[in-house]
Amino acid sequence: MKTHIFPDYPQLCQAVAQNVINCVNAKPNALICIAGGDTPLGVFAALVEAQKQGHVDFSHTQFLGLDEWLGLSKADKGSCREMVWHHFFDKLTLRDKQICFFDGLTTHPQEECQRVDRYIDQHGPIDCIVLGIGMNGHIGFNEPGASLDNTCHVIDLDAVTQAVSVKYFDTQRNVQQGISLGLKTILAAKKIVLMASGEKKAGIVAQTVNHPASRDIPSTLVKTVTQASLYVDKAAANALE
Ligand code: PGA
């Protein structure tokens, strides 16, 4: 897996965004998936600006959500839906039919998984996916030990993920489960950009690069596919040799 190191977060985000732009310029109706969370916020901003400047046109692009906290909706600040809409979809003025996103409020999570799997069967494979790396190495909500055979599924969240989750929310949430694309779908994407920023990710970035591919650290599995690259800023690359 090729590693690209950038001096700072803005340059990292610009480079990651360029991958998405290239993909959409080559295939206007591409299926794009970009993680929620803090890491891609600058990528969203760069993509919104690129559309504004006329460097890309998302009007035919399909967008797929990566994951969601079960029990949370767009009205909950810090939900994946709230973050992605607020920072990205609302600013691109997309049509509803361009977006497929997990409904965290579903009362039938298995049916919700089937709905999204059907969408992927119709529109997939994903042309370009941008993933963050969790502090425990998760990608999407594929936590340590996740199965390589999983498509969309419900997950009992790891203790690390539950502890980290408080940073997203303005009130106390007791999130215990998530709903996510599975490793099978993620690793079948035609292009995978794994990204990390900041000193706090330096340890897991080094493990991702140095540890043999293992389900214990899902981010290491990305190394097993040739279409994947790692994009990090200098701070996140701190522990790399
Ligand atoms: P973060 O989350 O971007 O907020 O650090 C990454 C992740 O958990 O995948």
Side-chain angles (χ1 to χ4, degrees):
M1 178 169 66
K2 192 160 167 30
T3 301
H4 306 265
I5 302 173
F6 297 87
D8 54 29
Y9 179 67
Q11 290 180 67
L12 163 67
C13 290
Q14 206 59 49
V16 171
Q18 196 59 49
N19 279 273
V20 177
I21 292 167
N22 293 346
C23 178
V24 172
N25 285 343
K27 183 181 175 189
N29 66 347
L31 179 59
I32 304 291
C33 179
I34 306 179
D38 290 335
T39 308
L41 293 181
V43 177
F44 292 145
L47 290 173
V48 169
E49 185 59 23
Q51 173 157 287
K52 214 154 116 196
Q53 298 295 331
H55 300 315
V56 65
D57 172 9
F58 290 113
S59 61
H60 299 286
T61 308
Q62 294 291 322
F63 291 97
L64 176 64
L66 176 63
D67 53 11
E68 184 58 284
W69 311 95
L70 265 186
L72 299 194
S73 75
K74 197 176 172 188
D76 297 300
K77 190 161 177 344
S79 70
C80 298
R81 185 175 280 259
E82 187 274 331
M83 288 183 99
V84 175
W85 255 262
H86 178 75
H87 291 280
F88 194 41
F89 292 163
D90 281 342
K91 301 193 172 172
L92 296 181
T93 57
L94 303 174
R95 287 158 289 137
D96 288 350
K97 67 172 191 189
Q98 288 181 263
I99 303 167
C100 176
F101 211 96
F102 290 112
D103 175 10
L105 286 188
T106 180
T107 49
H108 296 96
Q110 297 310 331
E111 284 171 28
E112 181 62 1
C113 290
Q114 286 161 12
R115 178 184 74 84
V116 177
D117 276 334
R118 273 197 305 275
Y119 175 90
I120 296 164
D121 285 345
Q122 262 173 25
H123 295 88
I126 296 167
D127 289 291
C128 179
I129 187 165
V130 176
L131 300 166
I133 309 178
M135 295 300 287
N136 60 358
H138 76 195
I139 49 176
F141 280 142
N142 292 276
E143 302 280 38
S147 165
L148 279 160
D149 295 328
N150 272 342
T151 55
C152 295
H153 63 298
V154 174
I155 301 102
D156 291 333
L157 297 170
D158 186 86
V160 174
T161 301
Q162 291 191 35
V164 168
S165 75
V166 298
K167 72 173 176 157
Y168 302 114
F169 309 127
D170 52 4
T171 56
Q172 196 176 345
R173 306 282 183 190
N174 191 16
V175 287
Q176 293 180 341
Q177 287 190 308
I179 187 167
S180 179
L181 302 188
L183 291 172
K184 188 173 176 189
T185 307
I186 290 173
L187 297 179
K190 291 188 192 160
K191 185 172 194 69
I192 303 177
V193 178
L194 187 61
M195 79 178 283
S197 158
E199 179 92 49
K200 69 175 189 295
K201 293 287 172 75
I204 192 62
V205 165
Q207 277 191 293
T208 300
V209 171
N210 297 328
H211 196 283
S214 159
R215 288 166 48 221
D216 295 339
I217 309 174
S219 54
T220 61
L221 298 169
V222 175
K223 289 192 292 200
T224 62
V225 296
T226 53
Q227 71 278 22
S229 330
L230 177 64
Y231 280 63
V232 290
D233 58 16
K234 224 167 139 213
N238 235 348
L240 292 177
E241 272 144 35

